[in-house]
Amino acid sequence: MGEENKVTLHGSWASPYVKRVELALKVKGIPFEYVEEDLRDKSPLLLKYNPIHKKVPVLVHNGKPVSESFVILEYIDETWKNQPRLFPQDPYERARVRFWASFIQQVIDCMLKVFKGVEQDKALEEFYEKLSVLEDGIKNSSLGITTTNIQGRDLGLLDIIIVITLGAYEVQEEVFGVKILSPEKTPLLYSWVTTLIDLPIVKGITPPRDKVVPFLHFLKDVVFKAPMN
Amino acid sequence: MGEENKVTLHGSWASPYVKRVELALKVKGIPFEYVEEDLRDKSPLLLKYNPIHKKVPVLVHNGKPVSESFVILEYIDETWKNQPRLFPQDPYERARVRFWASFIQQVIDCMLKVFKGVEQDKALEEFYEKLSVLEDGIKNSSLGITTTNIQGRDLGLLDIIIVITLGAYEVQEEVFGVKILSPEKTPLLYSWVTTLIDLPIVKGITPPRDKVVPFLHFLKDVVFKAPMN
């Protein structure tokens, strides 16, 4: 890797937004250096590269920073035009992928409410409703996502986003004491996610259970209990 | 315009998200049919085209619907590749435009809080802080947006989004009784927006004052006073 194409990802191991970018870089086969940031003591480089939000992920390509995970994913696919492409090339198909990516952001917002536990029953109902819309949407969208073809094809944008969003469902169910992903209610989502988490490329970026469990307990018992949340 | 390239925009005159799309179509010179939707009594066509969100805008191109305003803007620019391009062609410049578009979405969220009037002082402070970050960001970004060059160039994505977001500042200030856009605090934003609203193409899509004033009063006195808000 020459200096003329140097890629650095500033991240934090527990951030799903960072994990999206990490997985996308792996899917595209782009070599990169990873810099773990301590979010309680942000590095001068992070503050320099993302002065507006001061957040990870930041992708630095040849000295030029890009931030916001979805902006980074678009940047990666537009800059490295090699296969596999993360986004479909047809504008209408791209629009549909962007539509569902934006919908999954709403799923994430709902899931966060469930974890925070305020009016949890209402939040759960909303969350299951979103998952069910997503299930039907993916099923009827002819986006080519089925339960059986994942092993034989390259991962695309929606695979990346869904596995990062729901891939930790088992440990989340354990720590937060709620059902996240049901094989009965949303069989396609369940089968999609569970097939994805077994792929070696996904396993390679999944943090170990013995780090995730205490982190989620910290979120549940400290962060989400703070008066600001 | 042949049937093979038929474009219909389903909208509502008061929706800024619809106005973004309408302005983008005009900037690109794309002929389209406009269908005004009654949002209290949504048409079967709207429900058919946007079953997930049941919202405007929906752009229907040769029978195929695209929804979510930002997804539509990307779709338009990727489908009609004629000049002017809404997005820059360089991937890094595109990433910067997407970054600031996403930031302006945060400005919109803050502005809505100001209009709703709950903890208004705090909301206003946050709103001015965002505007000031946006002012500095645009100034230092070398995105080519200055106070003097607007008349001589085509409108791009950020012009479209900013003029729809802040272009009604005068009537908003009058109805909600707060300062929205200050020539002293954010001179570049002020000059950018006021120059844009005077352009004939923008005037052509701006709803008349005698419709906007009662609509904003309705928002302020009825919608934002409802228990859900």
Side-chain angles (χ1 to χ4, degrees):
Chain A
M1 186 176 69
E3 279 303 306
E4 74 289 347
N5 218 355
K6 188 170 159 51
V7 178
T8 309
L9 173 62
H10 290 255
S12 168
W13 71 270
S15 160
Y17 296 105
V18 171
K19 288 290 166 189
R20 288 175 171 187
V21 175
E22 199 179 340
L23 183 53
L25 289 166
K26 300 253 164 124
V27 167
K28 296 281 290 187
I30 300 165
F32 65 100
E33 187 188 331
Y34 178 79
V35 177
E36 176 74 14
E37 291 283 344
D38 179 354
L39 298 183
R40 290 157 306 181
D41 180 22
K42 295 173 183 177
S43 76
L45 263 186
L46 177 60
L47 300 179
K48 175 188 153 195
Y49 285 138
N50 190 0
I52 309 297
H53 300 302
K54 305 176 181 67
K55 282 181 180 170
V56 291
V58 176
L59 188 83
V60 185
H61 181 206
N62 295 334
K64 295 195 290 186
V66 185
S67 53
E68 299 259 315
S69 71
F70 203 78
V71 175
I72 298 173
L73 295 173
E74 300 248 25
Y75 176 77
I76 288 173
D77 208 37
E78 291 179 357
T79 301
W80 288 271
K81 294 183 186 295
N82 60 293
Q83 295 295 328
R85 300 302 300 250
L86 305 178
F87 291 78
Q89 292 312 290
D90 174 71
Y92 190 70
E93 295 301 305
R94 289 166 77 82
R96 294 209 302 169
V97 162
R98 287 184 180 124
F99 175 88
W100 286 110
S102 155
F103 188 85
I104 294 170
Q105 195 56 49
Q106 298 188 3
V107 171
I108 295 171
D109 294 343
C110 278
M111 189 159 63
L112 211 57
K113 278 191 205 163
V114 169
F115 293 164
K116 287 185 178 175
V118 183
E119 298 191 76
Q120 200 178 50
D121 288 350
K122 198 179 142 213
L124 261 177
E125 199 182 311
E126 236 181 275
F127 175 64
Y128 293 145
E129 172 62 27
K130 293 269 180 214
L131 285 189
S132 152
V133 171
L134 179 61
E135 169 98 3
D136 291 344
I138 295 296
K139 205 185 298 176
N140 302 329
S141 70
S142 64
L143 280 167
I145 291 160
T146 70
T147 56
T148 52
N149 71 346
I150 295 171
Q151 307 265 6
R153 63 176 172 81
D154 293 311
L155 298 192
L157 188 94
L158 291 178
D159 299 301
I160 291 170
I161 291 189
I162 203 70
V163 74
I164 301 300
T165 301
L166 294 173
Y169 76 97
E170 277 183 311
V171 51
Q172 289 164 340
E173 288 179 351
E174 184 185 319
V175 172
F176 292 101
V178 292
K179 192 78 191 162
I180 297 293
L181 196 56
S182 155
E184 291 80 31
K185 286 189 201 162
T186 50
L188 173 58
L189 276 182
Y190 182 84
S191 144
W192 186 18
V193 170
T194 51
T195 309
L196 285 169
I197 56 183
D198 274 344
L199 298 178
I201 195 167
V202 175
K203 277 186 189 291
I205 62 119
T206 304
R209 192 188 140 79
D210 63 0
K211 277 179 85 175
V212 176
V213 171
F215 177 76
L216 290 184
H217 274 291
F218 172 73
L219 281 186
K220 186 186 176 202
D221 300 330
V222 181
V223 179
F224 294 161
K225 289 255 165 70
M228 287 299 292
N229 282 287
Chain B
M1 186 177 67
E3 278 302 304
E4 73 288 348
N5 218 355
K6 187 170 161 50
V7 178
T8 309
L9 173 61
H10 291 255
S12 169
W13 71 269
S15 160
Y17 296 105
V18 171
K19 288 291 166 189
R20 289 175 171 187
V21 176
E22 198 179 340
L23 184 53
L25 289 167
K26 298 252 164 126
V27 167
K28 296 281 292 186
I30 300 165
F32 65 99
E33 187 189 330
Y34 177 80
V35 176
E36 176 74 13
E37 292 284 343
D38 179 353
L39 297 184
R40 291 157 305 182
D41 180 21
K42 295 172 183 177
S43 75
L45 263 187
L46 177 61
L47 301 179
K48 175 187 153 197
Y49 285 138
N50 190 2
I52 308 297
H53 299 302
K54 305 175 181 67
K55 283 180 180 170
V56 291
V58 176
L59 187 84
V60 184
H61 182 207
N62 295 335
K64 294 194 291 187
V66 185
S67 52
E68 299 259 317
S69 70
F70 202 77
V71 175
I72 297 174
L73 295 173
E74 300 247 24
Y75 176 77
I76 288 174
D77 208 38
E78 291 179 357
T79 301
W80 288 270
K81 294 182 188 294
N82 61 292
Q83 294 297 328
R85 300 303 300 250
L86 304 179
F87 290 78
Q89 291 313 289
D90 174 69
Y92 190 71
E93 296 301 306
R94 289 165 78 81
R96 294 209 300 172
V97 162
R98 288 186 180 122
F99 176 88
W100 286 111
S102 155
F103 188 85
I104 293 171
Q105 194 56 49
Q106 297 189 4
V107 171
I108 295 171
D109 295 342
C110 278
M111 189 158 65
L112 210 57
K113 279 191 204 164
V114 169
F115 293 164
K116 287 183 177 176
V118 183
E119 297 191 76
Q120 199 178 48
D121 288 351
K122 198 179 141 213
L124 260 178
E125 200 182 310
E126 237 183 275
F127 175 64
Y128 293 147
E129 172 61 28
K130 293 271 180 213
L131 285 189
S132 152
V133 170
L134 179 60
E135 169 98 3
D136 291 344
I138 295 297
K139 205 186 297 175
N140 302 328
S141 70
S142 64
L143 279 168
I145 291 159
T146 70
T147 56
T148 51
N149 72 347
I150 295 170
Q151 307 264 6
R153 63 176 172 80
D154 292 311
L155 299 192
L157 188 93
L158 291 177
D159 298 302
I160 290 170
I161 292 189
I162 202 71
V163 74
I164 301 300
T165 301
L166 294 173
Y169 75 97
E170 276 183 311
V171 52
Q172 289 164 340
E173 288 179 350
E174 183 184 319
V175 171
F176 292 101
V178 290
K179 191 80 192 160
I180 297 293
L181 196 55
S182 155
E184 291 80 30
K185 284 189 203 162
T186 50
L188 172 58
L189 275 182
Y190 181 84
S191 144
W192 186 17
V193 170
T194 51
T195 310
L196 284 170
I197 56 183
D198 274 344
L199 297 178
I201 196 167
V202 175
K203 277 187 190 291
I205 62 119
T206 304
R209 193 189 138 81
D210 62 0
K211 277 180 86 174
V212 176
V213 171
F215 178 76
L216 290 184
H217 273 292
F218 173 71
L219 281 187
K220 185 185 176 203
D221 300 331
V222 181
V223 180
F224 294 161
K225 289 256 164 69
M228 287 298 293
N229 283 287

